[in-house]
């Protein structure tokens, strides 16, 4: 068996070591991350929480290769992402990670299927129709491929965004407040979908949320404050999460 195959049980899907991220210069410098180390084990679901401005989005962007840390490293498996030149990183990002945003970020003039195909098209690969349909079926949207985002509910639009993130079969799915724009019931559907991806497909997922109930879907909660991981909870319940958050003053 090849070494890389044997490693997959113990290796992390993504790992950050001593991550620092500063924005701006001189007196105006903002230290968004001040030394964060995080490991995402394959097939696990991690929630990232903390007060506004604590660095959650910055951490997710750095882990997903969408932002570069000022110091420290990000690894996807054995690959040190922080050392890759921009083009190589962009190429790897399209196949290794998926990203879901609070505001869905769909193209309104394109059909559902075209939205899901878009990342592939941008990387110059021919859209694989079967994969697109498979991704849409997986999020419960079979038969809706010719509709436009405006013809779908908010929850359905977020499902399209999840299908778009999953179509390249990424090792890690990142989601930044994926239920933030949805009502409670619709939010639960999305969270159940993320949970199912982890349980049935072995997907690795990291999600930012402000909602203790949403965090209850995760295997683990990381609490950030002022650019540092200050607490960690395994098998969190919503009430435990709310209590810890209360102590942070978030
Ligand atoms: N591009 C940027 N330029 C300057 N400062 C930035 C930039 N991005 C983030 N910051 C700053 O870094 C800090 C962390 O921001 P970040 O967006 O990671 O917080 P967050 O925890 O996601 O907050 P929220 O819960 O409000 O989304 C904040 O003080 C923010 O103003
Ligand atoms: Mg944020």
């Amino acid at each position: 068996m090849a070494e890389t195959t044997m490693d997959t049980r113990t290796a992390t899907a993504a790992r950050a070591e001593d991550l620092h991220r500063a924005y701006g210069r001189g007196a105006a410098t903002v230290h968004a991350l001040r030394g964060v180390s995080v490991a995402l084990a394959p097939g696990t679901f991690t929630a990232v929480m903390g007060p506004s401005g604590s660095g959650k989005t910055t951490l997710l962007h750095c882990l997903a290769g969408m932002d570069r840390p000022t110091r420290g490293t990000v690894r996807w498996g054995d690959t040190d992402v922080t050392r890759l030149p921009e083009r190589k990183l962009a190429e790897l990002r399209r196949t290794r990670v998926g990203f879901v945003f609070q505001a869905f970020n769909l193209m309104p003039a394109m059909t559902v299927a075209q939205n899901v195909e878009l990342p592939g098209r941008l990387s110059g690969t021919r859209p694989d129709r079967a994969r697109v349909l498979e991704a849409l079926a997986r999020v419960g949207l079979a038969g809706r491929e010719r509709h436009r985002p405006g013809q779908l509910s908010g929850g359905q639009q977020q499902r399209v965004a999840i299908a778009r993130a999953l179509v390249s079969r990424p090792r890690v799915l990142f989601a930044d407040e994926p239920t933030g724009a949805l009502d409670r019931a619709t939010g639960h559907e999305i969270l159940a979908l993320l949970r199912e991806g982890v349980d049935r497909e072995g997907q690795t997922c990291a999600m930012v949320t402000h909602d203790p109930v949403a965090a209850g879907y995760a295997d683990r909660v990381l609490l950030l404050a002022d650019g540092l991981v200050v607490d960690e909870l395994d098998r969190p319940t919503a009430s435990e999460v709310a209590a810890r958050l209360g102590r942070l003053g978030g």
Side-chain angles (χ1 to χ4, degrees):
M1 198 191 278
E3 201 172 287
T4 46
T5 320
M6 282 175 54
D7 276 352
T8 52
R9 260 175 304 160
T10 48
T12 54
R15 175 193 287 276
E17 269 160 38
D18 194 31
L19 226 53
H20 292 247
R21 180 61 166 109
Y23 295 107
R25 289 167 167 268
T29 306
V30 176
H31 295 277
L33 298 176
R34 300 189 298 131
V36 171
S37 299
V38 169
L40 303 178
T44 63
F45 191 171
T46 302
V48 179
M49 302 191 82
S52 183
S54 58
K56 304 180 298 292
T57 294
T58 305
L59 173 61
L60 229 62
H61 284 178
C62 287
L63 279 167
M66 292 163 60
D67 191 5
R68 294 214 186 241
T70 315
R71 211 171 96 195
T73 56
V74 172
R75 284 194 179 78
W76 296 340
D78 309 330
T79 310
D80 183 347
V81 173
T82 26
R83 286 171 187 275
L84 294 176
E86 197 52 50
R87 277 186 64 162
K88 189 84 193 144
L89 172 59
E91 197 183 302
L92 204 61
R93 193 170 52 217
R94 276 192 282 265
T95 55
R96 291 282 196 94
V97 302
F99 208 98
V100 175
F101 303 87
Q102 177 174 350
F104 320 147
N105 293 8
L106 301 173
M107 306 296 276
M110 292 184 172
T111 67
V112 163
Q114 285 166 343
N115 267 283
V116 176
E117 282 169 8
L118 192 60
R121 273 194 195 281
L122 290 175
S123 67
T125 50
R126 212 153 53 91
D128 183 330
R129 192 77 190 164
R131 269 208 195 191
V132 169
L133 295 181
E134 179 198 308
L136 283 169
R138 187 165 149 192
V139 300
L141 285 177
R144 306 304 290 265
E145 44 279 335
R146 296 165 81 110
H147 289 186
R148 314 256 165 203
Q151 297 172 293
L152 302 177
S153 70
Q156 287 168 337
Q157 290 183 51
Q158 190 60 302
R159 286 166 184 270
V160 176
I162 292 172
R164 179 183 57 189
L166 291 177
V167 74
S168 65
R169 297 177 184 148
R171 296 200 192 158
V172 190
L173 179 65
F174 293 98
D176 194 354
E177 302 191 44
T179 61
L182 303 172
D183 62 59
R184 259 261 144 99
T186 312
H188 283 311
E189 289 174 23
I190 296 299
L191 292 161
L193 189 63
L194 298 178
R195 184 71 245 177
E196 194 183 290
V198 172
D199 291 339
R200 290 206 197 147
E201 323 273 339
Q203 183 74 54
T204 307
C205 186
M207 165 184 79
V208 170
T209 182
H210 283 281
D211 177 6
V213 176
Y217 283 78
D219 300 309
R220 173 178 69 146
V221 179
L222 300 176
L223 282 161
L224 259 62
D226 205 13
L228 291 170
V229 175
V230 293
D231 208 348
E232 191 176 328
L233 267 149
D234 281 321
R235 300 261 145 219
T237 66
S239 53
E240 280 168 358
V241 172
R244 300 279 181 110
L245 273 180
R247 265 184 254 163
L248 274 182

